[in-house]
Amino acid sequence: MELICPAGTPAAFREAVDARADAVYCGFADETNARNFPGLNFSREELARSISYARQKGVRTLVALNTFMRAGSETLWYKRAADAVAVGADALIVADFGLMAHVAEHHPEQRLHASVQASASNVDAINFLVTAFGVKRVVLPRTLTIADIARIARKIDCEVEVFVFGGLRVMAEGRCSLSSYATGKSPNMNGVCSPATHVRYREDRGELVSELGDYTINRFPPGEAAGYPTLCKGRFEVADSHGYAFEDPVSLDIMDHVDALREAGVSALKVEGRQRGKAYVAEVVGTLRRALAAQGAERQALLSRLRHLSEGQKTTSGAYEKRWR
């Protein structure tokens, strides 16, 4: 199985390549990219240099154009698709069906992957993308069990890629409406989830309060580490309970299930983390590369080293095991 690794900057890109990723995924510094944050992502020139470096090491580059086009502004997405093709991207990771159609028509030789943001999670949806647009690989949402993945993989006509480490993201991908409601900026169209311009922290009665837009997301008592305020990881009062209603502040780690994923028909294992620094990328990619080649206790020892890099220094199998509260 391929190891697909993140890069939010050219420096992180080189670290992923040097750590022996099979492929690196990245995006342009604009709203065509679902990680559209200041200080991240690539210009056309930076992408060209990175692709050249990767090619020298036998590593492929996947370019994420994984937001949805805005009516009247499609030209930006079309231009970025052409830019990625021109500088030699090995595949485009696309969410918008209109952009898939454009790439299939204007760049018919370009390999297409269906982004997790396309939210294609059943056989009919995936096979439609294959037939209509020539999609070669689908990135499945993190809301499926391994048994679900196996059933789908047997009946579709393309490769399967799944997330195995990093952010959990339990929302139905491609339908992230809460952040849009709170900030007016859409993760799926503007590429910005919980933009920093809308984040505030304040002290209140000895607690640190985190806010997003006009909404209180969390309250942290003295001594508790304060997380970044995203609505998915907000702490709320629901009926008689008080806690993380949607998603705990922990990271996904299903490397314990890597053999089962292989048997299920998975072609590629994806690491989340384009907003992470180059040191994180180097350690995670290098450790996972060694873990894939190891067995038993040796693999467990390698994977345990990643725990301190996980959000809250805790990990979960998430929906892959479907143990809902």
Side-chain angles (χ1 to χ4, degrees), residues 44-316:
R44 174 175 165 149
E45 293 71 25
E46 288 171 332
L47 182 60
R49 289 194 295 269
S50 296
I51 290 175
S52 177
Y53 182 76
R55 285 257 168 88
Q56 294 171 25
K57 301 294 184 78
V59 176
R60 293 179 296 283
T61 303
L62 318 179
V63 177
L65 302 171
N66 57 340
T67 52
F68 295 94
M69 298 189 295
R70 287 183 292 104
S73 300
E74 299 91 345
T75 301
L76 173 61
W77 279 262
Y78 296 162
K79 181 180 186 303
R80 286 311 194 188
D83 287 342
V85 172
V87 297
D90 292 285
L92 306 185
I93 308 171
V94 178
D96 189 294
F97 290 5
L99 185 56
M100 291 185 193
H102 174 85
V103 173
E105 179 180 355
H106 294 274
H107 310 286
E109 301 305 315
Q110 178 62 55
R111 182 178 171 94
L112 265 181
H113 292 182
S115 168
V116 69
Q117 295 293 325
S119 208
S121 54
N122 62 65
V123 171
D124 289 340
I126 295 166
N127 280 338
F128 167 75
L129 298 181
V130 173
T131 302
F133 311 121
V135 164
K136 302 297 184 185
R137 177 181 295 179
V138 61
V139 185
L140 291 178
R142 282 158 279 198
T143 51
L144 300 172
T145 65
I146 294 176
D148 293 333
I149 293 169
R151 283 193 292 271
I152 290 170
R154 287 195 296 268
K155 298 179 181 179
I156 62 175
D157 300 320
C158 68
E159 299 168 359
V160 171
E161 181 173 313
V162 299
F163 283 90
V164 295
F165 193 87
L168 181 56
R169 311 287 187 270
V170 299
M171 295 301 176
E173 274 110 347
R175 311 291 184 270
C176 304
S177 299
L178 285 177
S179 182
S180 305
Y181 181 80
T183 70
K185 294 288 187 180
S186 168
N188 304 123
M189 297 182 73
N190 306 112
V192 185
C193 172
S194 302
T197 52
H198 291 68
V199 170
R200 292 186 302 276
Y201 295 91
R202 61 180 174 86
E203 293 281 348
D204 181 44
R205 291 171 291 178
E207 293 184 320
L208 181 63
V209 178
S210 64
E211 298 175 332
L212 181 66
D214 295 328
Y215 298 89
T216 296
I217 304 302
N218 214 331
R219 303 179 70 97
F220 301 95
E224 183 178 356
Y228 191 82
T230 62
L231 274 156
C232 296
K233 294 184 173 69
R235 193 151 42 186
F236 303 99
E237 293 180 2
V238 181
D240 296 326
S241 65
H242 177 80
Y244 293 99
F246 299 110
E247 179 181 339
D248 290 333
V250 298
S251 290
L252 176 69
D253 180 358
I254 59 163
M255 288 299 294
D256 286 341
H257 304 289
V258 67
D259 295 325
L261 291 171
R262 182 184 290 109
E263 293 172 6
V266 170
S267 300
L269 308 175
K270 190 167 194 171
V271 178
E272 188 274 343
R274 283 193 283 151
Q275 70 277 29
R276 299 283 195 147
K278 65 178 184 177
Y280 173 91
V281 170
E283 185 161 358
V284 169
V285 176
T287 301
L288 291 180
R289 168 56 66 205
R290 292 191 295 274
L292 286 172
Q295 299 291 330
E298 182 186 0
R299 178 184 288 173
Q300 291 305 314
L302 286 165
L303 295 178
S304 67
R305 294 167 49 183
L306 298 178
R307 194 64 46 86
H308 73 280
L309 292 173
S310 301
E311 188 172 357
Q313 298 191 5
K314 298 177 182 178
T315 59
T316 176

